[in-house]
């Protein structure tokens, strides 16, 4: 399948149309919250399941997230090189992460985010879904370029030696590649500021950069690394967030999402899935609170997850002994070549699916008739905030439901 890589998405400055009697968007958002609460019904089995399972998985997840972003990363190079059928644990049905980390429900909320903040039209948003393919292609392009810049910055390898591209036979589409070797194959002056990428803060925020920097500081100088990535397909997974809710808000108020989609049962003092009216009222109180406090601007964070399927060659050796520490052995490569149909002498790599997370902030001006009437003030650039959960499986748009035992422990304290 031919891929069309797009560097950016068109975002239109628009004011939502409000019918004179009942707002169409108001009815749609009510249905969004309804579908959200319905989709959370599947959490009941987790909330009322085996006590031992709940306590262990929940506490393990919290411990991972509250520590250092590199905690749990024992590998010398922070990279996931699993075959495409071995999905990320968080996306694998039945895994501890999948049970405990409940993402903000989709339903019509995903359409609302795309319509209100990505400038997606009604037809495309509800029928064609062309915007999902365009966003997936854009993320794929950004993934290769940002990763090449990150590796260049951390390992001080000239960017020209990492960021590559090729044009498949019979096609006029240029496919970006990452071809990373450390130490670099070609001689170059690594101290020359023009050789390697100096600033990647606009592409990737600090947490994900720290994961690679920490790994390099610990053992990078004693390693030989080969990472060659050729993306060949992408698939849109989901859009996350809530209109007029920012990442900063959720990270500051740890129970914000929990209090929208869940509520405490007065009899058992346990969390249960909230009904429609509770979810809508809690969310609307957040929106109206901005106006009551006299605020004129508000932010929304939109996150997108895309599966980028690549042909990948990945190996990490001990520089002194030559021992293979990470990646595919020769036997595994031979098996991958037979599975993919490649000849041994033209092995393209293992087929791997990477989960890439990108985020963007939108600042809007509150106007009369808000939330159905507003103007955009500014929009940040898209940033890659995570690759394969390298910063941890729990994202800001996940609801982590406390286990019954952890609540009883809190009461004893």
């Amino acid at each position: 399948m031919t891929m069309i890589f797009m560097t950016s998405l068109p975002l239109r400055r628009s004011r939502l149309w409000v019918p004179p009697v009942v707002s169409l968007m108001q009815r749609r958002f009510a249905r969004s919250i309804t579908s959200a609460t319905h989709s959370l019904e599947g959490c009941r089995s987790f909330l009322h399941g085996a006590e031992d399972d709940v306590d262990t998985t929940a506490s393990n997840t919290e411990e991972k997230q509250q520590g250092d972003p590199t905690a749990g990363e024992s590998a010398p190079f922070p990279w996931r090189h699993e075959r495409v059928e071995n999905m990320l644990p968080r996306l694998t049905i039945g895994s501890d992460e999948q049970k405990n980390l409940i993402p903000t429900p989709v339903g019509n909320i995903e359409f609302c985010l795309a319509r209100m903040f990505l400038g997606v039209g009604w037809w495309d948003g509800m029928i064609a879904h062309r915007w999902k393919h365009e966003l997936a292609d854009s993320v794929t392009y950004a993934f290769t370029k940002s990763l090449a810049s990150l590796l260049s910055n951390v390992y001080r390898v000239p960017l020209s030696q990492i960021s590559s591209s090729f044009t498949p036979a019979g096609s006029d589409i240029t496919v970006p590649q990452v071809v990373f070797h450390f130490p670099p194959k070609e001689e170059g002056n690594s101290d020359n500021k023009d050789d390697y990428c100096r600033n990647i803060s606009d592409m990737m925020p600090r947490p994900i950069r720290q994961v690679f920097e920490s790994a390099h500081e610990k053992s990078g100088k004693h390693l030989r690394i080969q990472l060659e990535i050729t993306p060949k397909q992408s698939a849109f997974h989901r859009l996350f967030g809530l209109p007029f809710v920012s990442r900063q808000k959720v990270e500051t108020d740890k129970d914000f999402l929990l209090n929208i989609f869940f509520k405490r049962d007065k009899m058992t003092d346990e969390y249960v899935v909230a009904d429609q009216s509770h979810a809508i009222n809690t969310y609307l109180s957040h929106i109206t609170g901005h106006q009551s406090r006299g605020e004129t601007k508000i932010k929304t964070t939109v996150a997108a997850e895309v599966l980028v399927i690549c042909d990948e060659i990945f190996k990490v050796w001990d520089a002194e002994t030559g021992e293979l520490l990470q990646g595919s052995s020769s036997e595994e490569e031979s098996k991958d070549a037979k599975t993919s149909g490649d000849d041994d002498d033209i092995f393209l790599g293992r087929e791997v699916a990477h989960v890439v997370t990108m985020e963007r902030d939108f600042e809007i001006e509150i106007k009369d008739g808000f939330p159905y009437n507003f103007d955009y003030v500014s929009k940040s650039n898209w940033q890659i905030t995570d690759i394969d959960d390298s910063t941890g499986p729990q994202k800001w748009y996940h609801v982590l439901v406390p286990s019954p035992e952890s609540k009883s422990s809190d009461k004893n304290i």
Side-chain angles (χ1 to χ4, degrees):
M1 182 181 71
T2 302
M3 296 181 62
I4 301 176
F5 292 90
M6 303 186 66
T7 56
S8 61
L9 292 176
L11 294 171
R12 295 193 293 270
R13 177 186 177 90
S14 61
R15 179 177 298 177
L16 296 177
W17 171 64
V18 183
V21 183
V22 181
S23 166
L24 180 61
M25 288 300 293
Q26 184 176 14
R27 296 200 306 270
R28 175 167 291 280
F29 186 78
R31 291 198 298 271
S32 301
I33 294 294
T34 304
S35 66
T37 54
H38 287 172
S39 68
L40 285 168
E41 288 295 334
C43 303
R44 291 188 184 277
S45 60
F46 162 67
L47 290 173
H48 303 288
E51 201 169 286
D52 290 341
D53 292 341
V54 171
D55 178 62
T56 302
T57 53
S59 60
N60 286 345
T61 304
E62 284 188 286
E63 185 177 348
K64 277 184 182 180
Q65 296 308 311
Q66 293 174 358
D68 187 278
T70 61
E73 294 289 348
S74 58
F77 186 81
W79 196 252
R80 191 173 187 273
H81 184 64
E82 296 291 335
R83 291 185 176 89
V84 68
E85 61 269 19
N86 298 331
M87 288 301 299
L88 203 64
R90 177 167 55 84
L91 304 183
T92 302
I93 297 176
S95 67
D96 291 343
E97 289 88 347
Q98 190 267 339
K99 291 178 182 177
N100 293 327
L101 301 176
I102 306 166
T104 50
V106 188
N108 290 326
I109 292 181
E110 186 175 72
F111 170 80
C112 288
L113 289 171
R115 170 64 182 155
M116 297 166 70
F117 299 100
L118 302 187
V120 175
W122 290 97
W123 172 262
D124 189 19
M126 301 181 69
I127 306 296
H129 300 295
R130 186 177 62 253
W131 68 273
K132 294 183 179 181
H133 300 292
E134 294 177 348
L135 183 57
D137 291 343
S138 298
V139 172
T140 302
Y141 183 89
F143 164 65
T144 55
K145 295 300 183 183
S146 298
L147 178 61
S149 299
L150 173 66
L151 296 174
S152 173
N153 178 271
V154 173
Y155 289 85
R156 295 300 190 261
V157 177
L159 182 59
S160 59
Q161 296 183 26
I162 304 176
S163 182
S164 181
S165 62
F166 82 105
T167 302
S171 173
D172 57 353
I173 302 298
T174 300
V175 180
Q177 289 179 298
V178 173
V179 182
F180 174 62
H181 294 269
F182 181 81
K185 284 186 173 182
E186 301 177 23
E187 293 294 330
N189 181 10
S190 60
D191 294 328
N192 188 333
K193 66 179 182 180
D194 296 327
D195 285 344
Y196 65 90
C197 185
R198 300 285 292 183
N199 185 8
I200 59 170
S201 59
D202 290 339
M203 306 177 193
M204 292 181 170
R206 185 166 180 76
I208 188 172
R209 301 200 313 266
Q210 282 183 316
V211 172
F212 286 83
E213 290 169 357
S214 176
H216 182 48
E217 290 173 1
K218 290 178 181 178
S219 56
K221 296 179 181 179
H222 306 288
L223 303 176
R224 288 194 298 115
I225 306 171
Q226 177 186 10
L227 178 60
E228 300 182 12
I229 302 173
T230 304
K232 62 180 189 178
Q233 192 176 357
S234 61
F236 175 86
H237 177 219
R238 278 179 61 173
L239 206 63
F240 298 93
L242 288 173
F244 316 117
V245 175
S246 67
R247 174 177 184 149
Q248 182 181 9
K249 168 63 179 177
V250 175
E251 291 179 339
T252 303
D253 185 352
K254 299 296 184 181
D255 294 332
F256 178 74
L257 293 179
L258 180 68
N259 291 332
I260 290 180
F261 296 111
F262 291 86
K263 65 178 181 180
R264 283 186 183 271
D265 185 278
K266 295 182 179 179
M267 300 293 294
T268 64
D269 198 34
E270 293 182 1
Y271 279 99
V272 296
V273 178
D275 52 51
Q276 174 186 350
S277 60
H278 172 88
I280 292 178
N281 291 335
T282 305
Y283 174 80
L284 291 180
S285 66
H286 160 70
I287 293 180
T288 55
H290 291 280
Q291 290 178 300
S292 64
R293 292 189 294 269
E295 299 176 6
T296 58
K297 296 179 181 178
I298 185 174
K299 282 187 177 181
T300 297
T301 303
V302 176
E305 285 187 358
V306 169
L307 274 66
V308 181
I309 301 174
C310 312
D311 284 330
E312 181 173 291
I313 298 175
F314 174 58
K315 295 183 180 183
V316 178
W317 300 271
D318 185 298
E320 295 181 1
T321 66
E323 178 188 359
L324 183 67
L325 304 177
Q326 278 181 268
S328 303
S329 63
S330 299
E331 293 77 11
E332 290 176 317
E333 283 189 349
S334 178
K335 182 179 179 181
D336 290 333
K338 292 177 181 178
T339 303
S340 62
D342 297 335
D343 296 330
D344 290 340
D345 58 340
I346 55 170
F347 178 61
L348 299 177
R350 170 179 292 180
E351 191 175 55
V352 177
H354 294 293
V355 179
V356 182
T357 307
M358 290 193 74
E359 297 180 17
R360 190 175 194 181
D361 286 327
F362 298 83
E363 186 175 39
I364 64 169
E365 180 183 1
I366 298 176
K367 303 177 75 69
D368 292 338
F370 179 80
Y372 314 111
N373 183 20
F374 62 88
D375 283 334
Y376 291 114
V377 176
S378 63
K379 308 162 192 176
S380 68
N381 294 323
W382 283 100
Q383 281 191 319
I384 291 182
T385 54
D386 206 353
I387 300 173
D388 292 331
D389 289 352
S390 60
T391 62
Q394 185 184 351
K395 307 294 184 285
W396 63 270
Y397 45 79
H398 285 137
V399 183
L400 182 61
V401 184
S403 65
E405 188 166 316
S406 65
K407 291 196 293 290
S408 61
S409 299
D410 293 341
K411 294 176 70 176
N412 294 333
I413 294 174

